[in-house]
């Protein structure tokens, strides 16, 4: 008998046919579990329970995915707490008198996976993925997930999945016991067939709430190890450790229900935290940056990119090789060129090593690696460039050399070819000025190592066309980068803001700190590394060489700058001149024991250089608090961020925040510099401290308060009155 009915006014469609009720969530694009969806599922379950013809239920998502989690946009509104709650749905599913089968396709994440684990059976399509990414948005799987997962898989695996937030594919999910069956196609029909076959089976053993937690023999050691590892990695983020606490409740609480109660308390604690709000902001900020818009109103909506198929990369050094790897990884054919055969061979060797390291790590097969390498053609002249769609230049950071390269490219490339520069600071308009088609010139600023770092800062010049921008942004996304569009100025957005940060780090040394003091304060804030560790890792000689060529190094230059009313610390130059280039020479701001060493130890030799410098320049050394270190390094860069906004170099806060999170290691749980200033510290306070430092350090331009910051701080103060 067919009691085919469906209700379409909710975001969960209900239909019933041949004893099987189908509840299909319909809330594109990711079927997030917003209030109407939750209500729809609950209504569907009620109907299925009451309908005597229905013997089993299949729960699925329509369109591209099973629900990918709670609706994050609701978190800040009353809808998040409006009944029915997800926990109630999970409880209803678990205790449902008729079998419930979850038919999983796409990504069953967060609350979506909690629904699956509350169902009695889980069938996944081959391409499905599951996971608990809540930790990435500062919370935990708070709808029974922390209590259910360790009951279907081993405790250790549950901790790993929940604390890392990683997604696993269907086959790993099957191995871990999270899904019961994998099917090749049409998961909903297969789940319906399966549901018919199990209508008479007892449900008791299938209810996850009644299962024991698995792998608890060495629970206390497992938790302790997880805690230690998490403390080392989480850099002050509170969600990862709280996730462990919630999972611990599954072992320590006397009943499943008590465990769920503890989980809810911990979820509430996280939900109320500033960190969760910051991470949720970062989630949406990350998605907003691809929606670029220029000040003239032209945007991603109105501009179609050109599909890049072939490219040329000029310079096979540190950046060129990484850029070439990124390009071939998304199927673009690359011509790689260098100054001479020796450098070209060296670049190709490094490129092959990078690709084949993926084989060693079982990420790709040998034949895939060979295929990728075959996409690169090493060449010594520009003859083959006449047909490429884009050229990305990554030669030395020197305007004359870059201009020479662009002149040559202009002569050989087809008129529609885009000419991009990976310059980290230089003026894109000046580079474009030597070409006949400045509309085709764009900056594509990759970060090192270019094949690993996710950030791509794309820079438009005065003449850059919208199509050129759209193509650079699109190519970035194809390379799996987060592309942010910014305007043209010295250092663009990221490196421009980095200027005050590194300058203040240097001044702090002159006034009383040692590198380890500054770095410790920055690490305590949440950066993976401090300013001096980063400099040692990157090698200080490259920047030094560039500055030296321009005559901008050393104490004489520092005096000159002071005369010009701009303070400069020559300590960094002095460290390089002492042969301390960083990790590669075994010594930099720290001592690494041997060239290439990783463990940084404080070095009295460096401390002597610093103390002698202070003495020589009559700078009275003093004890500087971590708070002052943070304010001077970070508020100065925040001030610069406001200036970039005010000048239209950055279009919105989100662009700056994502650049800093992905390019410079700003801790995600601190939202990004602009978010941090506005929401975690408050603009009136930031502005007051900037004015304070400006009154002391008049000879540092970066302390001149941004006009925009001033206006916003004043209006934030006024709105609080
Ligand atoms: N809530 C609200 N909106 C969401 C969302 C969510 N959970 N997940 C994605 N979206 C939105 C995105 O903002 C984007 O909107 P836009 O088009 O306006 O920019 C749109 O959906 C598409 O998302 P993506 O661009 O990210 O699409 P992808 O195909 O690249 O990725 C995805 C899909 C893997 C599902 C990815 O969106 C994702 O990881 N989403 C977040 C998943 C998540 O964190 N789930 C847990 C939520 S918290 C929870 O469930 C709490 C529970 O335990 C109680
Ligand atoms: P690098 O010194 O490692 O590589 C530059 C390569 O370009 C060298 O191998 C050199 O032989 C080659 N080269 C020079 N002139 C050439 C020419 N006319 N034709 C062909 N090849 C030529 O330098 P790196 O670090 O790769 O930097 C390259 C560019 O990327 C610079 O503009 C730099 O500012 C920028 N950049 C560097 C970053 C870094 O962290 N190293 C980060 C982001 C951008």
């Amino acid at each position: 008998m067919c009691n085919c009915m469906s209700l379409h006014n909710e975001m969960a469609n209900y239909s019933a046919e041949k004893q099987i009720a189908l509840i299909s969530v319909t809330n594109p694009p990711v079927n997030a579990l917003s209030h109407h969806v939750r209500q729809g599922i609950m209504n569907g379950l009620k109907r299925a329970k009451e309908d005597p013809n229905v013997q089993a239920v299949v729960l699925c998502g329509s369109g591209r995915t099973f629900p990918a989690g709670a609706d994050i946009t609701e978190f800040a509104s009353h809808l998040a707490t409006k009944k029915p709650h997800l926990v109630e749905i999970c409880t209803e599913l678990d205790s449902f008198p008729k079998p419930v089968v979850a038919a999983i396709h796409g990504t069953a994440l967060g609350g979506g996976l909690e629904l699956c684990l509350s169902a009695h059976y889980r069938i996944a399509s081959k391409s499905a993925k599951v996971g608990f990414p809540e930790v990435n948005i500062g919370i935990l799987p708070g709808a029974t997930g922390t209590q259910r997962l360790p009951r279907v898989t081993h405790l250790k695996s549950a901790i790993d999945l929940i604390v890392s937030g990683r997604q696993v594919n269907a086959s790993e999910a099957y191995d871990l016991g999270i899904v019961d069956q994998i099917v090749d196609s049409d998961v909903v029909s297969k789940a319906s067939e399966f549901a018919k076959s199990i209508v008479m089976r007892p449900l008791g053993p299938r209810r996850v709430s009644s299962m024991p937690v698995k792998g608890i023999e060495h629970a206390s050691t497992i938790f302790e190890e997880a805690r230690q590892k998490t403390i080392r990695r989480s850099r002050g983020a509170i969600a990862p450790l709280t996730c462990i606490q919630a999972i611990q409740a599954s072992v320590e609480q006397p009943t499943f229900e008590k465990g769920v109660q503890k989980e809810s308390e911990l979820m509430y604690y996280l939900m109320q935290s500033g960190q969760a709000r910051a991470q949720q902001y970062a989630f949406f900020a990350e998605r907003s940056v691809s929606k670029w818009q220029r000040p003239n109103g032209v945007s991603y909506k109105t501009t179609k990119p050109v599909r890049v198929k072939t490219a040329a990369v000029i310079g096979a050094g540190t950046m060129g090789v990484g850029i070439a790897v990124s390009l071939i990884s998304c199927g673009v054919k690359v011509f790689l060129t260098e100054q001479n055969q020796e450098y070209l061979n060296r670049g190709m060797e490094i490129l092959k090593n990078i690709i084949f390291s993926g084989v060693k790590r079982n990420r790709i097969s040998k034949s895939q690696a060979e295929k990728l390498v075959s996409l690169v053609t090493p060449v010594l002249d520009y003859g083959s460039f006449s047909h490429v769609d884009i050229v990305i230049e990554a030669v030395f950071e020197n305007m004359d050399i870059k201009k020479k390269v662009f002149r040559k490219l202009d002569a050989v490339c087809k008129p529609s070819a885009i000419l991009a520069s990976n310059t980290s600071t230089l003026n894109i308009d000046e580079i474009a000025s030597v070409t006949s088609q400045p509309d085709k010139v764009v900056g594509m600023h990759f970060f090192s190592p270019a094949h690993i770092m996710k950030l791509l800062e794309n820079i438009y010049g005065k003449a850059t066309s919208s199509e050129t921008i759209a193509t650079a942004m699109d190519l970035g996304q194809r390379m799996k980068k987060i592309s942010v569009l910014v305007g043209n100025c010295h250092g663009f957005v990221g490196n421009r803001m980095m200027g005050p940060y590194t300058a203040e780090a240097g001044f702090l040394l002159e006034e009383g700190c040692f590198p380890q003091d500054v770095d410790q304060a920055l690490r305590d804030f949440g950066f993976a590394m401090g300013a001096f560790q980063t400099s040692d890792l990157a090698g200080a000689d490259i920047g030094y060489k560039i500055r030296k060529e321009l005559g901008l190094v050393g104490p004489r230059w520092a005096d000159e700058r002071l005369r010009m009313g701009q303070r400069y610390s020559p300590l960094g130059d002095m460290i390089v001149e002492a042969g301390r280039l960083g990790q590669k020479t075994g010594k930099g701001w720290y001592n690494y024991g041997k060239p290439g060493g990783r463990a940084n130890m404080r070095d009295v030799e460096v401390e002597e250089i610093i103390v002698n410098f202070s003495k020589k320049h009559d700078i009275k050394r003093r004890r500087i608090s971590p708070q002052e270190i943070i304010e001077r390094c970070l508020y100065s860069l925040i001030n610069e961020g406001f200036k970039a906004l005010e000048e239209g170099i950055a279009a919105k806060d989100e662009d700056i925040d994502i650049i800093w999170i992905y390019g410079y290691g700003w801790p995600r749980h601190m939202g990004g510099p602009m978010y941090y200033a506005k929401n975690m510290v408050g603009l009136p306070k930031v502005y007051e401290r900037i004015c304070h430092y400006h009154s002391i350090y008049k000879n540092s331009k970066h302390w001149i308060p941004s006009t925009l910051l001033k206006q916003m701080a004043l209006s934030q103060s006024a709105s609080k009155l």
Side-chain angles (χ1 to χ4, degrees):
M1 171 187 159
C2 168
N3 58 346
C4 202
M5 297 181 279
S6 72
L7 195 65
H8 288 286
N9 59 351
E10 283 165 342
M11 287 169 166
N13 292 337
Y14 179 87
S15 60
E17 196 174 349
K18 294 186 185 151
Q19 300 182 314
I20 306 299
L22 182 69
I23 300 174
S24 176
V25 173
T26 309
N27 185 19
V30 299
N31 289 327
L33 296 159
S34 55
H35 172 251
H36 287 299
V37 172
R38 299 197 302 273
Q39 190 61 65
I41 298 175
M42 220 42 170
N43 291 348
L45 286 174
K46 186 166 180 286
R47 293 177 66 179
K49 197 191 268 182
E50 287 169 358
D51 185 343
N53 295 314
V54 168
Q55 297 297 318
V57 178
V58 170
L59 180 63
C60 67
S62 62
R64 63 192 241 206
T65 185
F66 196 87
D71 185 340
I72 306 169
T73 59
E74 278 188 352
F75 284 0
S77 81
H78 71 288
L79 290 172
T81 49
K82 197 166 172 195
K83 283 181 170 252
H85 299 159
L86 212 45
V87 177
E88 288 165 325
I89 302 176
C90 290
T91 308
E92 179 66 9
L93 285 168
D94 186 292
S95 62
F96 208 68
K98 303 173 185 181
V100 182
V101 182
I104 308 166
H105 81 294
T107 42
L109 304 176
L113 182 54
E114 286 169 316
L115 292 181
C116 298
L117 295 177
S118 306
H120 307 121
Y121 296 91
R122 289 162 286 283
I123 298 187
S125 73
K126 213 168 151 186
S127 58
K129 285 187 176 166
V130 304
F132 280 126
E134 282 87 341
V135 71
N136 300 324
I137 51 168
I139 56 171
L140 51 78
T144 70
T146 62
Q147 306 305 298
R148 291 183 190 275
L149 191 61
R151 286 177 158 87
V152 296
T153 187
H154 193 284
L155 181 61
K156 228 175 169 173
S157 313
I159 296 174
D160 164 43
L161 288 188
I162 292 175
V163 174
S164 70
R166 76 185 174 93
Q167 295 175 24
V168 296
N169 60 27
S171 123
E172 189 176 350
Y174 176 79
D175 292 342
L176 289 170
I178 298 171
V179 301
D180 305 304
Q181 215 186 100
I182 301 176
V183 295
D184 275 341
S185 62
D186 199 358
V187 66
V188 175
S189 320
K190 296 272 168 56
S192 301
E193 277 167 33
F194 175 77
K196 276 180 214 152
S197 74
I198 46 120
V199 289
M200 298 311 288
R201 283 198 210 158
L203 278 176
R206 298 299 310 176
R207 300 193 203 279
V208 170
S209 62
S210 351
M211 294 176 182
V213 174
K214 293 190 170 62
I216 56 167
E217 296 76 24
H218 306 289
S220 52
T221 317
I222 292 175
F223 283 122
E224 193 43 37
E225 280 175 8
R227 249 193 311 273
Q228 291 312 325
K229 193 167 138 193
T230 305
I231 289 169
R232 279 198 304 275
R233 290 189 179 173
S234 54
R235 303 197 258 136
I238 55 173
L241 273 178
T242 314
C243 284
I244 296 179
Q245 256 181 291
I247 302 166
Q248 209 160 349
S250 73
V251 177
E252 290 172 358
Q253 293 296 322
T255 60
F256 176 82
E257 289 71 24
K258 290 256 185 248
V260 171
Q261 202 178 321
K262 181 76 190 165
E263 177 196 84
S264 297
E265 287 163 22
L266 294 168
M267 176 73 157
Y268 181 77
Y269 157 70
L270 287 179
M271 273 290 199
Q272 297 306 308
S273 72
Q275 290 195 4
R277 281 192 285 274
Q279 283 173 259
Q280 285 152 29
Y281 159 83
F283 174 85
F284 290 112
E286 189 175 324
R287 280 147 184 88
S288 78
V289 295
S290 60
K291 296 168 183 138
W292 59 271
Q293 178 162 10
R294 290 176 74 164
N296 63 6
V298 175
S299 76
Y300 75 102
K301 282 188 196 154
T302 46
T303 323
K304 249 186 109 174
V306 172
R307 180 95 186 159
V308 168
K309 294 195 188 99
T310 52
V313 175
I314 321 279
T318 311
M319 296 306 290
V321 168
I323 294 168
V325 171
S326 303
L327 286 165
I328 57 176
S329 300
C330 69
V332 174
K333 283 188 185 156
V334 172
F335 292 99
L336 182 62
T337 189
E338 249 299 341
Q339 300 192 75
N340 58 45
Q341 192 64 49
E342 184 194 339
Y343 294 171
L344 190 56
N345 292 346
R346 183 191 60 189
M348 281 303 290
E349 257 336 283
I350 298 171
L351 182 138
K352 283 180 197 160
N353 284 341
I354 293 173
I355 298 291
F356 279 92
S357 71
V359 179
K360 279 188 206 140
R361 286 196 226 123
N362 281 332
R363 295 226 173 114
I364 48 171
S365 67
K366 192 165 171 258
S367 68
Q368 281 170 320
E370 280 161 357
K371 205 168 157 203
L372 281 175
V373 172
S374 75
L375 291 177
V376 185
T377 311
V379 291
L380 273 181
D381 59 52
Y382 289 17
S384 356
F385 296 177
S386 57
H387 289 102
V388 297
D389 303 315
I390 192 168
V391 182
I392 304 179
E393 164 278 310
V395 304
F396 302 132
E397 185 76 343
N398 176 299
M399 184 55 92
D400 292 338
I401 300 179
K402 292 208 192 276
K403 278 184 175 170
K404 251 186 223 158
V405 169
F406 273 75
R407 265 191 210 104
K408 270 171 78 180
L409 291 172
D410 190 48
V412 297
C413 292
K414 62 184 180 187
S416 61
I418 289 173
L419 306 182
S421 172
N422 180 47
T423 175
S424 41
T425 52
L426 300 174
N427 188 328
I428 296 297
D429 289 332
E430 196 176 337
I431 296 176
S433 69
V434 300
T435 69
S436 59
Q437 284 188 286
D439 57 310
K440 298 285 178 210
V441 178
V442 67
M444 288 182 81
H445 179 209
F446 291 73
F447 286 68
S448 181
H451 59 292
I452 291 174
M453 292 289 282
K454 288 204 54 131
L455 182 67
L456 178 63
E457 202 180 24
N458 286 329
I459 304 109
Y460 63 90
K462 272 193 207 116
T464 312
S465 75
S466 306
E467 188 186 74
T468 303
I469 292 174
T471 305
M473 294 295 281
D474 178 65
L475 182 58
Q477 270 154 28
R478 285 173 60 203
M479 290 186 284
K480 299 209 164 39
K481 307 279 178 207
I482 296 175
S483 310
V484 185
L485 182 69
V486 301
N488 182 30
C489 68
H490 184 80
F492 320 122
V493 168
N495 283 343
R496 169 182 177 160
M497 289 169 69
M498 188 75 177
Y501 168 88
T502 35
E504 282 302 317
F507 301 154
L508 285 162
L509 299 186
E510 296 181 357
E511 293 169 39
C513 290
F514 290 124
Q516 55 274 19
D517 305 322
V518 177
D519 285 352
Q520 184 65 48
L522 291 167
R523 277 198 307 273
D524 288 346
F525 180 80
F527 281 93
M529 278 187 208
F532 298 105
Q533 284 174 288
T534 311
S535 162
D536 276 356
L537 178 69
D541 51 326
I542 301 168
Y544 175 84
K545 240 192 262 163
I546 296 169
R547 291 198 301 281
K548 184 149 189 170
E549 267 177 38
L550 299 169
L552 310 180
V553 295
R556 281 227 320 262
W557 167 241
D559 293 342
E560 173 90 350
R561 291 261 296 218
L562 261 185
R563 266 198 301 280
M564 292 174 347
Q566 176 64 6
R567 183 179 176 191
Y568 173 81
S569 175
L571 276 169
D573 301 334
M574 291 162 71
I575 292 288
V576 174
E577 281 157 9
R580 311 183 65 107
L581 307 187
Q583 284 188 10
K584 60 184 166 190
T585 53
K587 284 176 175 184
W589 291 104
Y590 294 94
N591 195 328
Y592 295 88
K594 58 175 192 283
R598 292 266 176 112
N600 56 322
M601 294 164 282
R602 58 179 279 199
D603 195 323
V604 282
E605 213 174 287
V606 171
E607 292 174 9
E608 249 173 57
I609 295 176
I610 294 170
V611 171
N612 288 339
F613 179 89
S614 306
K615 240 187 236 160
K616 193 170 161 201
H617 292 82
D618 283 334
I619 303 173
K620 195 166 174 328
R621 294 184 69 76
R622 63 187 168 94
R623 181 176 289 279
I624 297 177
S625 70
Q627 178 65 21
E628 180 175 340
I629 296 172
I630 290 302
E631 287 181 357
R632 287 181 56 186
C633 291
L634 305 188
Y635 291 10
S636 58
L637 79 82
I638 287 167
N639 194 31
E640 202 59 40
F642 274 97
K643 289 179 187 170
L645 268 181
E646 160 186 321
E647 292 165 22
I649 297 295
K652 53 186 188 295
D653 288 357
E654 285 85 347
D655 294 347
I656 298 178
D657 288 335
I658 289 303
I659 286 174
W660 270 82
I661 290 175
Y662 281 100
Y664 301 86
W666 186 282
R668 204 179 169 86
H669 59 273
M670 294 290 185
M674 308 312 276
Y675 180 90
Y676 172 73
K678 283 187 178 169
N679 301 285
M680 299 181 96
V681 185
L683 293 184
K685 175 160 181 222
V686 173
Y687 176 64
E688 180 268 310
R689 298 308 290 159
I690 288 174
C691 291
H692 165 76
Y693 291 118
H694 181 47
S695 70
I696 303 174
Y697 303 108
K698 293 223 162 45
N699 51 11
S700 291
K701 276 194 198 131
H702 55 245
W703 285 122
I704 299 173
S706 136
T707 314
L708 177 66
L709 169 63
K710 181 179 175 182
Q711 281 165 1
M712 293 183 78
L714 293 178
S715 82
Q716 222 181 50
S717 299
S719 69
K720 280 198 180 135
L721 289 177

